[in-house]
Amino acid sequence: MTHRAPRTRIEQREAVKTCNPPEIPGFNEQTPPRRADPQPPVRAVARRIPPAAPHSARFDAAGLADAVRDVLEHAARVGKTVAFADLCAQVKDLGELPESDQVQVLRRVKPTARPRSPKPQSPDLLTALISTEAGTMHPIYRQLANHAGHHLPQQASSTWTDTVKTLHDRYRTP
């Protein structure tokens, strides 16, 4: 009894399931199997793979900070804030970092130079535009502001709102 060789993957899978392998051309039950020339066993050499660096050591903080800056400057130009979750979605790899590394990236965010500005910019932090989903000051902003020397009062929401308005005005003016 001869079988035709399966042509499709479905037929191949069915042949394997039913233990009915396809007929192999040039092979029949009377032909003994060919043996390969004996070769000495190959000794597998285990290559040393250096341990992977922790995720936090492999990220490009400057590159991520530039990407965050671009998103925040766009938000400033259109007069909006950016929810932290949306920022993480827009900046690849930011959301995958541990919080300490996220803070490190956000500390590096510096606004681009605004050559048409008549006077030097005050040091308002561009990261003030990072908000919660509800549109309020994100808790990380207090940490970033304190690090930059902007010590916020206990009830900082009005200070934060003023900073956001200042940033919106600065980026909207030509």
Side-chain angles (χ1 to χ4, degrees), residues 64-77:
L64 288 173
D66 288 344
V68 169
R69 181 200 62 228
D70 293 344
V71 171
L72 294 177
E73 285 183 337
H74 174 73
R77 283 191 293 277

Side-chain angles (χ1 to χ4, degrees), residues 32-104:
R34 268 185 91 196
R35 293 189 181 185
D37 295 332
Q39 295 180 356
V42 177
R43 184 173 171 215
V45 177
R47 292 187 316 175
R48 286 196 155 256
I49 299 173
H55 184 67
S56 60
R58 295 186 309 224
F59 73 97
D60 176 19
L64 288 173
D66 288 344
V68 169
R69 181 200 62 228
D70 293 344
V71 171
L72 294 177
E73 285 183 337
H74 174 73
R77 283 191 293 277
V78 297
K80 295 187 176 192
T81 59
V82 178
F84 188 71
D86 295 339
L87 180 66
C88 289
Q90 292 180 46
V91 177
K92 185 180 179 212
D93 296 332
L94 181 65
E96 297 171 11
L97 294 175
E99 185 177 342
S100 61
D101 290 340
Q102 290 173 344
V103 170
Q104 181 183 347

Side-chain angles (χ1 to χ4, degrees), residues 4 15 40 122 159 172:
R4 94 178 153 81
S122 62
T159 306
R172 284 188 199 159

Side-chain angles (χ1 to χ4, degrees), residues 90-171:
Q90 292 180 46
V91 177
K92 185 180 179 212
D93 296 332
L94 181 65
E96 297 171 11
L97 294 175
E99 185 177 342
S100 61
D101 290 340
Q102 290 173 344
V103 170
Q104 181 183 347
V105 168
L106 296 175
R107 284 180 181 166
R108 298 181 80 152
V109 174
K110 305 289 186 242
T112 56
R114 307 263 307 161
R116 291 186 257 175
S117 296
K119 59 183 179 177
Q121 303 289 323
S122 62
D124 289 326
L125 295 175
L126 193 57
T127 52
L129 296 174
I130 300 172
S131 66
T132 63
E133 293 291 328
T136 59
M137 181 179 84
H138 195 280
I140 206 166
Y141 176 64
R142 181 179 298 279
Q143 184 178 357
L144 296 170
N146 287 338
H147 179 74
H150 299 263
H151 299 290
L152 300 175
Q154 202 62 12
Q155 297 298 324
S157 61
S158 64
T159 306
W160 175 76
T161 303
D162 293 342
T163 303
V164 169
K165 286 179 184 174
T166 301
L167 287 166
H168 287 164
D169 291 342
R170 182 180 301 151
Y171 278 86

